[in-house]
Amino acid sequence: MIKPDAMRNGHAGAIIDRFIKEGFRIVALKQTKLSQEKAGEFYAVHKERPFYGELVEFMSSGVIIAAILEKENAVTAFRELIGATNPAQAAEGTIRKLYATSVGENAVHGSDSDENAKIEGSFFFSGLEQF
Ligand code: GDP
């Protein structure tokens, strides 16, 4: 996902360009907006964390771009490309270092396992939208 902060700050094009240049194939892509309920559902795993309310509020605060990306070892490669959760700790040249503003408003989301990538992909896209 490209998160609402990156959308508002005009970084969506540069971020998608980077995905392509780093060799990810776009399987599905769309702009959409999460309701508070849907954002809460997507991040349900963090329900007990102190920042959950803030996270749901932020993720439903504006449009996002959802995408399914394919590459060899995609989960690891993508997490390397986006960098650490906190942009202050993200490596030079990573998407979060370049475009994130804070640990909460950190420009992009990436799945943390192949299993979650499948679940999160079908959260946004039907089979007919994936090529
Ligand atoms: P990720 O896998 O790198 O996205 O990080 P996590 O799974 O740990 O956290 C999920 C998301 O919750 C992060 O990308 C942030 O948007 C948000 N988040 C994590 N830690 C904090 C925090 O301390 N404060 C706030 N406001 N949001 C946080």
Side-chain angles (χ1 to χ4, degrees):
M1 262 190 280
I2 302 178
K3 294 186 178 184
D5 60 320
M7 297 297 289
R8 278 193 281 272
N9 295 331
H11 298 312
I15 291 172
I16 292 170
D17 190 51
R18 190 75 191 278
F19 294 162
I20 294 167
K21 288 203 168 106
E22 298 285 343
F24 289 88
R25 191 177 77 76
I26 294 173
V27 174
L29 184 88
K30 73 174 154 202
Q31 175 171 293
T32 183
K33 189 167 186 286
L34 292 169
S35 61
Q36 290 211 354
E37 191 192 346
K38 279 302 206 184
E41 198 184 311
F42 188 88
Y43 280 109
V45 61
H46 293 307
K47 213 169 193 145
E48 306 307 324
R49 308 278 283 274
F51 56 80
Y52 178 71
E54 229 172 89
L55 177 59
V56 167
E57 190 68 36
F58 165 58
M59 288 304 297
S60 57
S61 70
V63 295
I64 57 141
I65 285 176
I68 299 177
L69 303 175
E70 188 177 84
K71 190 181 179 176
E72 194 72 17
N73 295 317
V75 167
T76 308
F78 192 76
R79 294 194 71 87
E80 262 170 36
L81 172 62
I82 68 178
T85 308
N86 185 345
Q89 286 151 16
E92 285 303 322
T94 58
I95 290 177
R96 282 171 168 165
K97 182 70 173 188
L98 289 167
Y99 305 120
T101 43
S102 67
V103 66
E105 306 207 355
N106 59 3
V108 277
H109 165 81
S111 304
D112 63 4
S113 66
D114 287 354
E115 189 192 359
N116 281 338
K118 281 212 179 70
I119 295 168
E120 293 177 354
S122 47
F123 181 91
F124 285 110
F125 300 100
S126 74
L128 284 172
E129 295 172 306
Q130 302 179 32
F131 298 97

